[in-house]
Amino acid sequence: MKIITVLGARPQFIKAAPLSATLRKRHEEKIVHTGQHYDYQMSDVFFEELGIPKPDYFLGVGSKQHGAQTGEMLTGVEEVLLKEKPDWVLVYGDTNSTLAGALAAAKLHIPIAHVEAGLRSYNRKMPEEVNRVLTDHVSTLMFCPTDQAVKNLSLEGLTKGVIRTGDVMADALYYHARRAEERSLAENLRYPKKSYVLATVHRAENTDNLNRLQGIINAFAQIEGQIVLPLHPRTKKLLNDHHMTIPKNVEVIEPVGYLEMILLEKEAEFILTDSGGVQKEAYLWQVPCVTLRDETEWVETVNTGWNTLTGANPEQIVEAVMNYRNKPLPPYRENLYGNGRASEEIVAAMEEKRG
Ligand code: UD1
Ligand code: UDP
């Protein structure tokens, strides 16, 4: 089979790392990098650290308004697909790069495989929700990482081509955990174990709404102890543009590579985040998580008691932190995201569909 993988944003590089390696054992894959993320610490570092093959096509679209960004990607991906004539187009998650890849393929009648299908927040104001709903509805195969995702698709009438697999982010974590831990032994951990709280904030709903961003910062100021904040460039820009002050207990660092990030997660006392991927990784490491959003697609992390939704409300954030500090942690019963073989399951399903 010949597969064109379309990616462009940080979490997609991490998701692609295990699947690309598995695909290339038996098939031809070419990678199209849209250029949605382009800073070294948002893109190249992942290709280097995770051994992802160099992209065959780099569209260099960069940062733009949604329409312009998605439109330029669509044009660029279409050109590649016309030239390459692949059997499949593979897309990941819910970014503008995902939607552009899926739309370009759908118009050319090329089957689409969507990894991380079926996730829903039921909040159509999120750009991610629009991207994932549209992508699922033009996909031939929808790889769902959770039972909830399968149910969500079924509620929209999508049952054919829906396959429950493990989660490729768990594949990546299991595969690289040892390397990350070895690095910490070699280089000494930057912060002593469990001496800090790890935080990430980048979602549009938090950064583009100054009240919410200020609410999160106010909560950080009230939390006892050091908070380490690898800062997404989007958030950095908004904090600078609006001259917002970072509290003294918050150490802002540049975005970090994957190996450093998963180690920072593992050794954190707990995690504050609005990231999708980081919520899951917190669960996989058995580190409690406070999610700075009003809803989550990863509902099972909340149902098991390892994740608390607080929105951007300072009182609720501080209360969730106090609860984790003062009450025993819930029992850890199950690995919700598979045993690290999602990539193999996905490739096998694509092969079977092709016949
Ligand atoms: C995108 C995804 C989001 C995902 C996130 C992962 C969409 C609509 N959103 O959000 O779902 O959670 O990636 O990190 O696709 N910037 C830089 N350097 C970079 C990249 C971005 O400075 O390498 C800055 C620019 O100011 C840019 C802003 O970040 O305007 C936002 O980047 P963009 O890719 O549009 O959206 P993200 O917020 O990164
Ligand atoms: N991540 C990273 N360095 C950072 C922040 C995040 O390597 O400084 C990783 C994180 O471990 C996870 C993924 O990026 O695997 C999550 O991506 P992000 O939070 O950008 O997007 P989301 O998952 O919310 O779409």
Side-chain angles (χ1 to χ4, degrees), residues 248-284:
K248 284 202 188 66
N249 63 327
V250 178
E251 187 181 352
V252 174
I253 60 174
E254 288 298 308
V256 293
Y258 181 70
L259 297 179
E260 184 165 0
M261 184 64 184
I262 60 175
L263 203 64
L264 279 171
E265 291 168 352
K266 178 176 182 234
E267 306 299 5
E269 183 196 357
F270 53 86
I271 295 174
L272 304 166
T273 193
D274 59 8
S275 157
V278 175
Q279 288 174 63
K280 276 184 289 179
E281 288 164 353
Y283 182 83
L284 291 170

mmCIF file of all heavy atoms in Angstrom, residues 248-284:
data_model
loop_
_atom_site.group_PDB
_atom_site.id
_atom_site.type_symbol
_atom_site.label_atom_id
_atom_site.label_comp_id
_atom_site.label_asym_id
_atom_site.label_seq_id
_atom_site.Cartn_x
_atom_site.Cartn_y
_atom_site.Cartn_z
ATOM 1 N N LYS A 248 5.057 34.865 40.765
ATOM 2 C CA LYS A 248 6.446 34.523 41.123
ATOM 3 C C LYS A 248 6.690 33.020 41.227
ATOM 4 O O LYS A 248 7.799 32.541 41.003
ATOM 5 C CB LYS A 248 6.783 35.154 42.489
ATOM 6 C CG LYS A 248 7.042 36.634 42.414
ATOM 7 C CD LYS A 248 7.873 37.076 43.623
ATOM 8 C CE LYS A 248 7.998 38.582 43.684
ATOM 9 N NZ LYS A 248 6.694 39.260 43.936
ATOM 10 N N ASN A 249 5.654 32.295 41.599
ATOM 11 C CA ASN A 249 5.852 30.836 41.790
ATOM 12 C C ASN A 249 5.796 30.050 40.464
ATOM 13 O O ASN A 249 5.872 28.829 40.459
ATOM 14 C CB ASN A 249 4.797 30.273 42.759
ATOM 15 C CG ASN A 249 3.384 30.410 42.227
ATOM 16 O OD1 ASN A 249 3.073 31.368 41.515
ATOM 17 N ND2 ASN A 249 2.532 29.458 42.554
ATOM 18 N N VAL A 250 5.633 30.761 39.359
ATOM 19 C CA VAL A 250 5.538 30.075 38.066
ATOM 20 C C VAL A 250 6.848 30.244 37.295
ATOM 21 O O VAL A 250 7.267 31.377 37.021
ATOM 22 C CB VAL A 250 4.362 30.637 37.218
ATOM 23 C CG1 VAL A 250 4.302 29.954 35.854
ATOM 24 C CG2 VAL A 250 3.044 30.463 37.971
ATOM 25 N N GLU A 251 7.494 29.133 36.985
ATOM 26 C CA GLU A 251 8.698 29.208 36.161
ATOM 27 C C GLU A 251 8.326 28.905 34.721
ATOM 28 O O GLU A 251 7.928 27.782 34.387
ATOM 29 C CB GLU A 251 9.771 28.230 36.631
ATOM 30 C CG GLU A 251 11.043 28.490 35.852
ATOM 31 C CD GLU A 251 12.191 27.558 36.203
ATOM 32 O OE1 GLU A 251 12.059 26.786 37.173
ATOM 33 O OE2 GLU A 251 13.195 27.589 35.490
ATOM 34 N N VAL A 252 8.451 29.917 33.886
ATOM 35 C CA VAL A 252 8.130 29.746 32.462
ATOM 36 C C VAL A 252 9.369 29.219 31.754
ATOM 37 O O VAL A 252 10.454 29.773 31.891
ATOM 38 C CB VAL A 252 7.697 31.089 31.844
ATOM 39 C CG1 VAL A 252 7.508 30.948 30.344
ATOM 40 C CG2 VAL A 252 6.421 31.587 32.498
ATOM 41 N N ILE A 253 9.196 28.125 31.016
ATOM 42 C CA ILE A 253 10.300 27.615 30.199
ATOM 43 C C ILE A 253 9.815 27.483 28.751
ATOM 44 O O ILE A 253 8.612 27.521 28.488
ATOM 45 C CB ILE A 253 10.854 26.260 30.738
ATOM 46 C CG1 ILE A 253 9.763 25.186 30.761
ATOM 47 C CG2 ILE A 253 11.479 26.430 32.112
ATOM 48 C CD1 ILE A 253 10.270 23.789 31.148
ATOM 49 N N GLU A 254 10.757 27.340 27.845
ATOM 50 C CA GLU A 254 10.400 27.130 26.439
ATOM 51 C C GLU A 254 9.663 25.790 26.324
ATOM 52 O O GLU A 254 9.852 24.905 27.171
ATOM 53 C CB GLU A 254 11.677 27.058 25.589
ATOM 54 C CG GLU A 254 12.376 28.391 25.409
ATOM 55 C CD GLU A 254 11.503 29.398 24.682
ATOM 56 O OE1 GLU A 254 10.987 29.069 23.602
ATOM 57 O OE2 GLU A 254 11.329 30.517 25.214
ATOM 58 N N PRO A 255 8.868 25.588 25.262
ATOM 59 C CA PRO A 255 8.297 24.254 25.054
ATOM 60 C C PRO A 255 9.444 23.241 25.035
ATOM 61 O O PRO A 255 10.520 23.546 24.529
ATOM 62 C CB PRO A 255 7.657 24.353 23.667
ATOM 63 C CG PRO A 255 7.490 25.795 23.390
ATOM 64 C CD PRO A 255 8.541 26.520 24.174
ATOM 65 N N VAL A 256 9.208 22.074 25.605
ATOM 66 C CA VAL A 256 10.292 21.087 25.712
ATOM 67 C C VAL A 256 10.061 19.948 24.721
ATOM 68 O O VAL A 256 8.947 19.760 24.214
ATOM 69 C CB VAL A 256 10.404 20.526 27.157
ATOM 70 C CG1 VAL A 256 10.859 21.621 28.102
ATOM 71 C CG2 VAL A 256 9.100 19.906 27.627
ATOM 72 N N GLY A 257 11.109 19.173 24.469
ATOM 73 C CA GLY A 257 10.982 17.990 23.623
ATOM 74 C C GLY A 257 10.157 16.919 24.326
ATOM 75 O O GLY A 257 9.873 17.027 25.531
ATOM 76 N N TYR A 258 9.792 15.897 23.587
ATOM 77 C CA TYR A 258 8.896 14.868 24.128
ATOM 78 C C TYR A 258 9.518 14.124 25.306
ATOM 79 O O TYR A 258 8.849 13.871 26.316
ATOM 80 C CB TYR A 258 8.536 13.892 23.005
ATOM 81 C CG TYR A 258 7.600 12.789 23.420
ATOM 82 C CD1 TYR A 258 6.266 13.052 23.715
ATOM 83 C CD2 TYR A 258 8.042 11.472 23.517
ATOM 84 C CE1 TYR A 258 5.396 12.043 24.086
ATOM 85 C CE2 TYR A 258 7.174 10.454 23.884
ATOM 86 C CZ TYR A 258 5.854 10.747 24.167
ATOM 87 O OH TYR A 258 4.998 9.738 24.546
ATOM 88 N N LEU A 259 10.791 13.771 25.196
ATOM 89 C CA LEU A 259 11.392 12.960 26.267
ATOM 90 C C LEU A 259 11.425 13.746 27.570
ATOM 91 O O LEU A 259 11.133 13.214 28.643
ATOM 92 C CB LEU A 259 12.801 12.503 25.865
ATOM 93 C CG LEU A 259 12.866 11.591 24.641
ATOM 94 C CD1 LEU A 259 14.303 11.213 24.325
ATOM 95 C CD2 LEU A 259 12.025 10.330 24.826
ATOM 96 N N GLU A 260 11.758 15.023 27.467
ATOM 97 C CA GLU A 260 11.775 15.849 28.677
ATOM 98 C C GLU A 260 10.351 16.044 29.201
ATOM 99 O O GLU A 260 10.115 16.024 30.412
ATOM 100 C CB GLU A 260 12.426 17.203 28.385
ATOM 101 C CG GLU A 260 12.528 18.028 29.656
ATOM 102 C CD GLU A 260 13.467 19.215 29.560
ATOM 103 O OE1 GLU A 260 14.069 19.420 28.485
ATOM 104 O OE2 GLU A 260 13.584 19.930 30.561
ATOM 105 N N MET A 261 9.411 16.196 28.280
ATOM 106 C CA MET A 261 8.028 16.445 28.695
ATOM 107 C C MET A 261 7.455 15.254 29.463
ATOM 108 O O MET A 261 6.851 15.423 30.526
ATOM 109 C CB MET A 261 7.159 16.731 27.467
ATOM 110 C CG MET A 261 5.733 17.088 27.810
ATOM 111 S SD MET A 261 5.641 18.632 28.749
ATOM 112 C CE MET A 261 3.882 18.700 29.091
ATOM 113 N N ILE A 262 7.648 14.064 28.927
ATOM 114 C CA ILE A 262 7.013 12.920 29.613
ATOM 115 C C ILE A 262 7.686 12.663 30.966
ATOM 116 O O ILE A 262 7.041 12.206 31.904
ATOM 117 C CB ILE A 262 6.934 11.638 28.743
ATOM 118 C CG1 ILE A 262 8.297 11.143 28.296
ATOM 119 C CG2 ILE A 262 5.998 11.855 27.566
ATOM 120 C CD1 ILE A 262 8.241 9.803 27.544
ATOM 121 N N LEU A 263 8.953 13.022 31.063
ATOM 122 C CA LEU A 263 9.624 12.898 32.354
ATOM 123 C C LEU A 263 9.117 13.956 33.340
ATOM 124 O O LEU A 263 8.871 13.661 34.514
ATOM 125 C CB LEU A 263 11.122 13.064 32.135
ATOM 126 C CG LEU A 263 11.993 12.454 33.198
ATOM 127 C CD1 LEU A 263 11.806 10.949 33.219
ATOM 128 C CD2 LEU A 263 13.450 12.784 32.905
ATOM 129 N N LEU A 264 8.939 15.183 32.828
ATOM 130 C CA LEU A 264 8.376 16.243 33.685
ATOM 131 C C LEU A 264 6.991 15.819 34.188
ATOM 132 O O LEU A 264 6.643 16.069 35.340
ATOM 133 C CB LEU A 264 8.257 17.557 32.907
ATOM 134 C CG LEU A 264 9.516 18.407 32.774
ATOM 135 C CD1 LEU A 264 9.282 19.545 31.785
ATOM 136 C CD2 LEU A 264 9.941 18.972 34.138
ATOM 137 N N GLU A 265 6.221 15.173 33.315
ATOM 138 C CA GLU A 265 4.886 14.712 33.725
ATOM 139 C C GLU A 265 4.999 13.654 34.828
ATOM 140 O O GLU A 265 4.330 13.729 35.850
ATOM 141 C CB GLU A 265 4.151 14.093 32.531
ATOM 142 C CG GLU A 265 3.740 15.080 31.458
ATOM 143 C CD GLU A 265 3.269 14.398 30.172
ATOM 144 O OE1 GLU A 265 3.396 13.168 30.058
ATOM 145 O OE2 GLU A 265 2.791 15.106 29.287
ATOM 146 N N LYS A 266 5.856 12.691 34.573
ATOM 147 C CA LYS A 266 5.964 11.553 35.492
ATOM 148 C C LYS A 266 6.375 12.000 36.890
ATOM 149 O O LYS A 266 5.889 11.481 37.893
ATOM 150 C CB LYS A 266 6.996 10.565 34.943
ATOM 151 C CG LYS A 266 7.214 9.376 35.841
ATOM 152 C CD LYS A 266 8.152 8.372 35.246
ATOM 153 C CE LYS A 266 8.257 7.198 36.199
ATOM 154 N NZ LYS A 266 9.638 6.903 36.539
ATOM 155 N N GLU A 267 7.286 12.959 36.960
ATOM 156 C CA GLU A 267 7.840 13.360 38.254
ATOM 157 C C GLU A 267 7.071 14.509 38.908
ATOM 158 O O GLU A 267 7.425 14.959 39.991
ATOM 159 C CB GLU A 267 9.317 13.762 38.099
ATOM 160 C CG GLU A 267 10.207 12.732 37.428
ATOM 161 C CD GLU A 267 10.291 11.415 38.185
ATOM 162 O OE1 GLU A 267 9.589 11.243 39.199
ATOM 163 O OE2 GLU A 267 11.058 10.545 37.740
ATOM 164 N N ALA A 268 6.006 14.996 38.243
ATOM 165 C CA ALA A 268 5.244 16.118 38.813
ATOM 166 C C ALA A 268 4.375 15.642 39.969
ATOM 167 O O ALA A 268 3.931 14.492 39.992
ATOM 168 C CB ALA A 268 4.367 16.744 37.724
ATOM 169 N N GLU A 269 4.113 16.565 40.895
ATOM 170 C CA GLU A 269 3.177 16.223 41.981
ATOM 171 C C GLU A 269 1.786 16.043 41.383
ATOM 172 O O GLU A 269 1.089 15.094 41.678
ATOM 173 C CB GLU A 269 3.183 17.360 43.018
ATOM 174 C CG GLU A 269 2.306 17.079 44.215
ATOM 175 C CD GLU A 269 2.001 18.326 45.038
ATOM 176 O OE1 GLU A 269 2.507 19.425 44.733
ATOM 177 O OE2 GLU A 269 1.217 18.178 46.003
ATOM 178 N N PHE A 270 1.397 16.979 40.546
ATOM 179 C CA PHE A 270 0.196 16.824 39.720
ATOM 180 C C PHE A 270 0.323 17.757 38.526
ATOM 181 O O PHE A 270 1.298 18.522 38.431
ATOM 182 C CB PHE A 270 -1.105 17.059 40.494
ATOM 183 C CG PHE A 270 -1.143 18.343 41.219
ATOM 184 C CD1 PHE A 270 -1.550 19.496 40.597
ATOM 185 C CD2 PHE A 270 -0.751 18.409 42.548
ATOM 186 C CE1 PHE A 270 -1.562 20.692 41.266
ATOM 187 C CE2 PHE A 270 -0.756 19.615 43.235
ATOM 188 C CZ PHE A 270 -1.167 20.762 42.581
ATOM 189 N N ILE A 271 -0.662 17.668 37.634
ATOM 190 C CA ILE A 271 -0.573 18.418 36.373
ATOM 191 C C ILE A 271 -1.812 19.299 36.204
ATOM 192 O O ILE A 271 -2.932 18.867 36.512
ATOM 193 C CB ILE A 271 -0.445 17.426 35.183
ATOM 194 C CG1 ILE A 271 0.882 16.658 35.293
ATOM 195 C CG2 ILE A 271 -0.551 18.147 33.843
ATOM 196 C CD1 ILE A 271 1.077 15.560 34.265
ATOM 197 N N LEU A 272 -1.582 20.525 35.738
ATOM 198 C CA LEU A 272 -2.675 21.439 35.376
ATOM 199 C C LEU A 272 -2.575 21.642 33.867
ATOM 200 O O LEU A 272 -1.527 22.059 33.376
ATOM 201 C CB LEU A 272 -2.470 22.802 36.046
ATOM 202 C CG LEU A 272 -2.327 22.838 37.569
ATOM 203 C CD1 LEU A 272 -1.782 24.195 38.010
ATOM 204 C CD2 LEU A 272 -3.682 22.602 38.219
ATOM 205 N N THR A 273 -3.627 21.388 33.142
ATOM 206 C CA THR A 273 -3.479 21.468 31.680
ATOM 207 C C THR A 273 -4.807 21.685 30.966
ATOM 208 O O THR A 273 -5.872 21.360 31.508
ATOM 209 C CB THR A 273 -2.824 20.168 31.138
ATOM 210 O OG1 THR A 273 -2.419 20.378 29.789
ATOM 211 C CG2 THR A 273 -3.757 18.972 31.189
ATOM 212 N N ASP A 274 -4.728 22.227 29.739
ATOM 213 C CA ASP A 274 -5.890 22.192 28.859
ATOM 214 C C ASP A 274 -5.594 21.346 27.618
ATOM 215 O O ASP A 274 -6.370 21.337 26.665
ATOM 216 C CB ASP A 274 -6.361 23.610 28.471
ATOM 217 C CG ASP A 274 -5.294 24.430 27.767
ATOM 218 O OD1 ASP A 274 -4.224 23.877 27.428
ATOM 219 O OD2 ASP A 274 -5.533 25.639 27.537
ATOM 220 N N SER A 275 -4.465 20.654 27.637
ATOM 221 C CA SER A 275 -4.075 19.815 26.498
ATOM 222 C C SER A 275 -4.828 18.487 26.521
ATOM 223 O O SER A 275 -5.031 17.905 27.585
ATOM 224 C CB SER A 275 -2.566 19.556 26.598
ATOM 225 O OG SER A 275 -2.207 18.391 25.899
ATOM 226 N N GLY A 276 -5.165 17.995 25.331
ATOM 227 C CA GLY A 276 -5.770 16.673 25.253
ATOM 228 C C GLY A 276 -4.752 15.593 25.570
ATOM 229 O O GLY A 276 -4.969 14.730 26.425
ATOM 230 N N GLY A 277 -3.608 15.669 24.874
ATOM 231 C CA GLY A 277 -2.587 14.635 25.048
ATOM 232 C C GLY A 277 -2.064 14.564 26.471
ATOM 233 O O GLY A 277 -1.864 13.469 27.012
ATOM 234 N N VAL A 278 -1.874 15.714 27.085
ATOM 235 C CA VAL A 278 -1.282 15.719 28.438
ATOM 236 C C VAL A 278 -2.251 15.098 29.461
ATOM 237 O O VAL A 278 -1.817 14.419 30.392
ATOM 238 C CB VAL A 278 -0.822 17.148 28.822
ATOM 239 C CG1 VAL A 278 -0.323 17.192 30.259
ATOM 240 C CG2 VAL A 278 0.260 17.637 27.861
ATOM 241 N N GLN A 279 -3.557 15.282 29.264
ATOM 242 C CA GLN A 279 -4.528 14.635 30.178
ATOM 243 C C GLN A 279 -4.346 13.116 30.178
ATOM 244 O O GLN A 279 -4.372 12.461 31.213
ATOM 245 C CB GLN A 279 -5.968 14.924 29.742
ATOM 246 C CG GLN A 279 -6.435 16.330 29.973
ATOM 247 C CD GLN A 279 -7.816 16.515 29.369
ATOM 248 O OE1 GLN A 279 -8.775 15.864 29.788
ATOM 249 N NE2 GLN A 279 -7.942 17.395 28.394
ATOM 250 N N LYS A 280 -4.185 12.569 28.979
ATOM 251 C CA LYS A 280 -4.026 11.104 28.873
ATOM 252 C C LYS A 280 -2.707 10.651 29.450
ATOM 253 O O LYS A 280 -2.620 9.635 30.138
ATOM 254 C CB LYS A 280 -4.055 10.681 27.401
ATOM 255 C CG LYS A 280 -5.402 10.498 26.849
ATOM 256 C CD LYS A 280 -5.314 9.978 25.428
ATOM 257 C CE LYS A 280 -4.808 11.046 24.493
ATOM 258 N NZ LYS A 280 -4.682 10.610 23.094
ATOM 259 N N GLU A 281 -1.661 11.397 29.137
ATOM 260 C CA GLU A 281 -0.336 11.016 29.643
ATOM 261 C C GLU A 281 -0.312 11.070 31.170
ATOM 262 O O GLU A 281 0.294 10.211 31.818
ATOM 263 C CB GLU A 281 0.737 11.916 29.027
ATOM 264 C CG GLU A 281 0.956 11.571 27.555
ATOM 265 C CD GLU A 281 1.695 12.622 26.752
ATOM 266 O OE1 GLU A 281 1.951 13.724 27.281
ATOM 267 O OE2 GLU A 281 2.001 12.361 25.578
ATOM 268 N N ALA A 282 -0.996 12.064 31.763
ATOM 269 C CA ALA A 282 -1.072 12.135 33.233
ATOM 270 C C ALA A 282 -1.681 10.835 33.752
ATOM 271 O O ALA A 282 -1.167 10.222 34.699
ATOM 272 C CB ALA A 282 -1.919 13.334 33.651
ATOM 273 N N TYR A 283 -2.763 10.401 33.117
ATOM 274 C CA TYR A 283 -3.422 9.161 33.557
ATOM 275 C C TYR A 283 -2.471 7.969 33.425
ATOM 276 O O TYR A 283 -2.363 7.144 34.341
ATOM 277 C CB TYR A 283 -4.697 8.918 32.738
ATOM 278 C CG TYR A 283 -5.422 7.676 33.188
ATOM 279 C CD1 TYR A 283 -6.286 7.707 34.274
ATOM 280 C CD2 TYR A 283 -5.208 6.456 32.554
ATOM 281 C CE1 TYR A 283 -6.926 6.561 34.716
ATOM 282 C CE2 TYR A 283 -5.843 5.305 32.984
ATOM 283 C CZ TYR A 283 -6.701 5.363 34.057
ATOM 284 O OH TYR A 283 -7.325 4.220 34.510
ATOM 285 N N LEU A 284 -1.786 7.897 32.280
ATOM 286 C CA LEU A 284 -0.893 6.748 32.052
ATOM 287 C C LEU A 284 0.242 6.717 33.076
ATOM 288 O O LEU A 284 0.691 5.650 33.480
ATOM 289 C CB LEU A 284 -0.320 6.796 30.634
ATOM 290 C CG LEU A 284 -1.339 6.550 29.510
ATOM 291 C CD1 LEU A 284 -0.728 6.869 28.155
ATOM 292 C CD2 LEU A 284 -1.862 5.123 29.534
#
